[in-house]
Amino acid sequence: MIIRDITRLIVRLAYFLTAKEAHNYVYASFFNAWNFLWNIHVVNYKEEYSMSYADTLFIDMCKDILASGIDTKGEKVRPVWPDGEKAYTIKKFGVVNRYDLSREFPAITLRKTYIKSAIDEILWIWQKKSNNIKDLKSKIWDEWADEDGSIGKAYGYQLGVKHQYKEGMMDQVDRVLYDLKNNPYSRRIMTNIYVHEDLHEMNLYPCAYSMTFNVTKDETDGRLVLNAILNQRSQDILAANNWNVVQYAALVYMFAQVSDMKPGELVHVIADAHIYDRHVPIIEELIKRPTYPAPIVKINPEVKNFYDFTVDDFTIEDYQAGPQIKDIPIAI
């Protein structure tokens, strides 16, 4: 906009200056001004688009945890490594990251996040409302499943429990979809799967346990905007951070589309954000890697019912990322 306006101004001035010297001066000024402004534009463009904003948040968060986090070494902790050794962490309390889903899809590029596998898991929990790993393509839940494949009364099980409301019997997912359609400005659109009376029957207590949805309006076009807060009691930053961000961003995308809204912000609140002791050197290497622009993630616009979505309704384009980290040790 600025370059265009200055160009028009200088060209108009040239009409009023007929002397050859003035003519040359004006055009020299034009090219100098244009070149100066273009260089500023290029610098700003590179700063804004040379890396995914999710990379920026991830790198800053990891540096902060490593620099000022609390080390639990020697303390009484529950998790252990597969070899039986205690799994200690460097932890930070109350980490909050904000992702603008209208700007980009929040996948890091330091290493590739398996976006479709993450979406498959969120559909397993929120759409299938399943607690059996036989309904899930990935193997990430295998260590917490019993011989029948069940993880107990956790995650999808809780979202599938029906509750009595004034409008009738609904589970939590259907209640959210109902309110987004009928009461979009409600301040009560939320879910909670940390149900204390069932914790003893869960093979793993929920880490990401609550979603709060809030609707605003884009004043430029009048469309409603869907925002969400993901509350997480605990997070293994290396193994799960961007995985959770990606899958709940996809959930906001889906809920927004079927509610005739646009995706807005995803605010991720982590009570205990930690880096395990055996992950520290991996994180230190990871955050020094080159970064790239965020991938383009598109969702099938024809799907109007949340329960009709499949992983194949998502397409991923231009996802350039660093090499994958293999055989990450997982504390249990």
Side-chain angles (χ1 to χ4, degrees), residues 74-319:
E75 302 294 342
K76 182 180 179 180
V77 296
R78 178 194 56 80
V80 295
W81 295 111
D83 60 11
E85 290 289 324
K86 288 291 185 179
Y88 298 109
T89 64
I90 302 175
K91 56 179 284 186
K92 192 84 177 184
F93 169 70
V95 171
V96 180
N97 291 323
R98 305 181 76 105
Y99 302 88
D100 185 351
L101 305 185
S102 68
R103 175 182 174 182
E104 66 177 32
F105 190 82
I108 63 171
T109 67
L110 296 163
R111 65 173 175 131
K112 183 167 288 189
T113 297
Y114 293 114
I115 298 174
K116 289 206 171 186
S117 294
I119 294 172
D120 180 60
E121 187 194 23
I122 207 69
L123 291 175
W124 176 63
I125 298 170
W126 282 74
Q127 186 193 76
K128 297 178 182 177
K129 301 161 191 173
S130 174
N131 62 341
N132 196 293
I133 62 171
K134 295 176 183 178
D135 300 321
L136 184 64
K137 293 179 182 178
S138 66
K139 304 296 182 182
I140 57 177
W141 279 96
D142 287 11
E143 294 184 36
W144 289 278
D146 62 22
E147 61 277 6
D148 297 319
S150 173
I151 62 170
K153 293 184 176 181
Y155 286 92
Y157 173 90
Q158 295 297 334
L159 289 176
V161 174
K162 292 187 182 295
H163 304 273
Q164 180 66 57
Y165 300 96
K166 292 180 180 179
E167 298 84 356
M169 294 291 291
M170 285 180 272
D171 63 40
Q172 294 188 61
V173 179
D174 287 337
R175 179 74 221 193
V176 168
L177 293 170
Y178 177 89
D179 281 334
L180 291 178
K181 180 179 179 180
N182 297 284
N183 310 299
Y185 284 108
S186 171
R187 298 186 293 270
R188 302 172 178 178
I189 309 177
M190 61 183 296
T191 62
N192 177 33
I193 59 174
Y194 204 91
V195 180
H196 285 260
E197 67 178 357
D198 289 337
L199 289 178
H200 68 288
E201 295 186 68
M202 298 182 189
N203 295 359
L204 179 67
Y205 289 9
C207 296
Y209 67 89
S210 174
M211 280 286 278
T212 302
F213 298 92
N214 188 273
V215 176
T216 55
K217 181 182 286 188
D218 186 338
E219 297 296 343
T220 61
D221 61 12
R223 289 195 63 191
L224 296 182
V225 178
L226 181 60
N227 310 285
I229 297 176
L230 169 63
N231 280 297
Q232 193 149 0
R233 63 170 180 84
S234 171
Q235 187 171 70
D236 177 343
I237 295 301
L238 176 61
N241 177 258
N242 197 239
W243 176 275
N244 289 144
V245 170
V246 160
Q247 61 187 178
Y248 281 92
L251 184 68
V252 173
Y253 271 49
M254 289 185 280
F255 277 10
Q257 178 163 301
V258 301
S259 304
D260 194 26
M261 300 180 188
K262 301 193 298 186
E265 276 195 291
L266 173 64
V267 181
H268 189 194
V269 181
I270 313 168
D272 189 308
H274 52 265
I275 298 173
Y276 279 101
D277 49 6
R278 296 186 184 181
H279 292 174
V280 169
I282 303 174
I283 286 286
E284 290 175 334
E285 183 277 328
L286 180 64
I287 61 178
K288 294 177 182 177
R289 291 182 176 184
T291 56
Y292 307 95
I296 298 171
V297 176
K298 297 179 180 178
I299 186 171
N300 181 359
E302 301 301 319
V303 181
K304 303 302 180 184
N305 185 327
F306 173 66
Y307 295 102
D308 291 336
F309 277 113
T310 69
V311 172
D312 293 334
D313 287 309
F314 288 82
T315 57
I316 304 163
E317 301 174 358
D318 302 328
Y319 193 6

Side-chain angles (χ1 to χ4, degrees), residues 40-70:
I40 293 177
H41 169 73
V42 169
V43 169
N44 290 338
Y45 180 88
K46 287 181 178 179
E47 289 179 351
E48 183 174 2
Y49 296 103
S50 62
M51 65 189 298
S52 165
Y53 184 62
D55 285 321
T56 301
L57 290 180
F58 184 83
I59 292 170
D60 290 347
M61 173 179 59
C62 290
K63 287 181 177 179
D64 185 39
I65 293 172
L66 293 174
S68 59
I70 301 300

